[in-house]
Every structure is written in C-alpha cells, then in structure tokens.
C-alpha cells in the first residue's frame, strides 16, 4: 500500500440496494483524496455515517491508509487492507476482512465479500457504537488484510 493520491471518485451516484460486486461507480485509487471524494459523493445520511467512521478510524489507527476499491472506501494499517466502508440504499456497510477472527464476531455476513468477512450495517449515526467499532478496528489490524502477508 502507498499513501500516494492517484485520482478522485465520481460524485453523485445512485446507491445499490445490496452488494452486487461493486458498491458504487467510484474509480479505484489509493490515497486520502479519492476516499474523501467518494464519501463526499454519498447522499445523507450515508455521508454522515461514512464521515464518522472515517474520523473514528483516523483517531483509532496511527498510520491509517485509505483507498477506493470495488466502489467502497478501504482502510488499512501497514500490510494489507483491513476493513471497508460503503454506502448502500438505506445504510452503510462497515465490513471487516477476516472479521471471523474478531471478538465478538460482527453480526453481518455480507454477500460477495468473502466467507471470512463480517461487519455491521449502519442506518444512522445513532447506530455507531464507537467503543465496539474502535475495538474491532484495532483487532483487525493484527490479522492479515487483503493483499497483505501473514504476520
């Protein structure tokens, strides 16, 4: 992973109902700028939820790296991408790669994101349990992420 910004995301797009391979038409790009552009293009309340998750990740994880992949914001620390945050009609999916290794295991098993991925679906800012999500963020950085080496 690198922190070089390589492009922006398409703004103002229609959100899918469920995961169908891509969350949005946002173009793949590594860095803060494309992730911030992706988040800015989300409608409310998804934008506010994604902004809160992004800010929590920045406060929780030193050395946080961002990328847009598969139409969602991806986050990692060190070697590999650890979790994603994507806007969908009616909610935001916060998914942890290798989430089956977390304690407690997040409740949602997404379609099309890998059999070890688990997460939560957030419909409003009130659904964000900052303490639990920050704990999952810290835990997931200790297991290999997408594109990372086993530690």
């Amino acid at each position: 992973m690198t922190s070089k910004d390589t492009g922006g995301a398409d703004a103002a797009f229609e959100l899918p109902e469920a995961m169908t391979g891509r969350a949005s038409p946002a173009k793949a790009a590594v860095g803060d700028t494309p992730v911030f552009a992706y988040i800015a293009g989300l409608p409310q309340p998804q934008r506010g939820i994604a902004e809160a998750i992004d800010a929590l990740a920045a406060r929780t994880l030193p050395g946080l790296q961002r990328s847009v992949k598969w139409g969602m914001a991806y986050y990692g620390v060190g070697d590999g991408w650890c979790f994603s945050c994507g806007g969908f009609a009616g909610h935001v999916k916060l998914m942890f790669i290798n989430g089956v290794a977390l304690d407690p295991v997040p409740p949602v098993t997404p379609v099309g994101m890998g059999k070890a991925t688990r997460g939560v679906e957030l419909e409003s800012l009130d659904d964000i349990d900052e303490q639990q999500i920050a704990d999952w963020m810290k835990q997931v950085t200790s297991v290999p992420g997408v594109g990372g080496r086993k530690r």
Side-chain angles (χ1 to χ4, degrees):
M1 294 185 314
T2 66
S3 60
K4 181 181 176 193
D5 289 336
T6 59
D10 296 332
F13 44 82
E14 189 172 325
L15 297 175
E17 293 290 326
M19 192 70 194
T20 57
R22 296 184 65 83
S24 78
K27 297 201 182 346
V30 176
D32 296 351
T33 301
V35 169
F36 295 155
Y38 165 73
I39 292 171
L42 293 172
Q44 292 293 1
Q46 290 87 341
R47 181 182 323 136
I49 296 166
E51 288 170 342
I53 294 299
D54 185 89
L56 179 60
R59 289 191 310 271
T60 303
L61 302 172
L64 181 68
Q65 296 178 54
R66 296 174 176 93
S67 181
V68 172
K69 295 179 174 299
W70 304 288
M72 298 173 66
Y74 271 73
Y75 298 85
V77 175
D79 194 24
W81 302 106
C82 302
F83 58 94
S84 65
C85 181
F88 291 84
H91 66 281
V92 168
K93 281 188 186 303
L94 174 61
M95 295 293 134
F96 297 92
I97 292 114
N98 293 321
V100 295
L102 304 179
D103 183 25
V105 174
V108 175
T109 302
V111 173
M113 292 187 76
K115 58 186 172 185
T117 300
R118 297 293 184 276
V120 291
E121 293 181 351
L122 308 165
E123 294 180 11
S124 74
L125 289 171
D126 293 336
D127 292 340
I128 298 172
D129 179 341
E130 284 197 9
Q131 183 176 350
Q132 180 60 72
I133 291 172
D135 186 50
W136 282 330
M137 288 176 175
K138 291 174 192 171
Q139 286 182 53
V140 80
T141 61
S142 69
V143 296
V146 171
R149 295 183 303 269
K150 295 201 185 293
R151 297 175 202 189

